[in-house]
Amino acid sequence: MTATEPAASDAIATNTSPQPAPGATPPRTPLIARAAAELVGTAALVAIVVGSGIQATQLTDDVALQLLANSTATVFGLGVLIALLGPVSGAHFNPAVTLAEWWTARRGGAGVNARELAVYVPSQIVGAIAGAILADAMFGELLVKWSTHDRSAGNLLLGEVVATAGLILLIFGLARTDRLRFAPVAVASYIGAAYWFTSSTSFANPAVTIGRAFTDTFAGIAPASVPAFVGMQIIGAVAGLALVAVIFMRGKTDAE
């Protein structure tokens, strides 16, 4: 055995230790670095969503093509951001994911604690607002102009429940089956698909929803529609965790 090879006892300890939940990072990663990653990552995500929406409307009047351009940019951008920042903060970029992870950690799993939750969520919200303002600035729009895009219809709210539940099921299902290495591709692909199969075009993210209220462009949402959207996203997160508990139920050994 060389100096770099782990002892057998170390290997056993590694294999039996709790596996990190989605987004959980090594304790050696400073919280300020994780907060910066969440802020920058969420800002970049919203800038991609809003910026590609503005670009699409400038290039074509066909709404289907606009949505195709918007969703395609989001898929590639989100995948890159998760691959880049996942090792730092877990690449949540989403209070619903952070809250779900905190809940699972409270029940004995690995994940963010209350202090980290209190840092992650504000960082995500500030980042989302900054991303919307940045996108507006890049395309010569007013830096802040409240969206007039009403999204209050009941079918859209149902779409947000479905979109968020599916996202939580995907992320925590990957964690339960030790396949989080596929998260960049899987999560980005799911969001791209949900753009098209949900009536709401899958916001599935309270921070992104708040940020998109600051821009009166293709991707915007009227401030009056934000509370209901966020509420449905929280309900969707709860539903997603319930599905994870049922579908990925862990069996008990004879000793247990």
Side-chain angles (χ1 to χ4, degrees), residues 145-151 212-217 219-224:
K145 184 178 181 182
W146 298 117
S147 176
T148 57
H149 193 162
D150 179 73
R151 299 178 188 262
R212 288 167 68 166
F214 284 73
T215 177
D216 191 21
T217 58
I221 176 173

Side-chain angles (χ1 to χ4, degrees), residues 42 45 64 68 76 82 87 106 115 128-129 137 140 147 157 163 204 207 232 238 244:
T42 312
L45 174 59
L68 178 61
F76 287 116
I82 295 173
R106 284 182 70 252
R115 175 170 173 261
I129 295 170
S147 176
L157 300 179
M232 294 303 104
V238 173
V244 171

Side-chain angles (χ1 to χ4, degrees), residues 55-163:
Q55 183 80 283
T57 56
Q58 292 180 351
L59 294 175
T60 179
D61 293 327
D62 188 320
V63 178
L65 286 178
Q66 292 171 356
L67 186 60
L68 178 61
N70 195 206
S71 60
T72 302
T74 302
V75 167
F76 287 116
L78 180 57
V80 168
L81 290 172
I82 295 173
L84 174 65
L85 300 176
V88 179
S89 67
H92 293 190
F93 314 146
N94 187 337
V97 174
T98 304
L99 283 166
E101 189 183 288
W102 167 77
W103 177 257
T104 59
R106 284 182 70 252
R107 299 176 63 83
V112 297
N113 56 33
R115 175 170 173 261
E116 293 165 331
L117 174 71
V119 172
Y120 267 49
V121 173
S123 298
Q124 293 159 352
I125 293 172
V126 171
I129 295 170
I133 294 173
L134 175 61
D136 282 341
M138 287 193 292
F139 286 92
E141 303 284 340
L142 290 176
L143 296 187
V144 175
K145 184 178 181 182
W146 298 117
S147 176
T148 57
H149 193 162
D150 179 73
R151 299 178 188 262
S152 60
N155 63 303
L156 302 183
L157 300 179
L158 176 59
E160 278 304 288
V161 174
V162 172

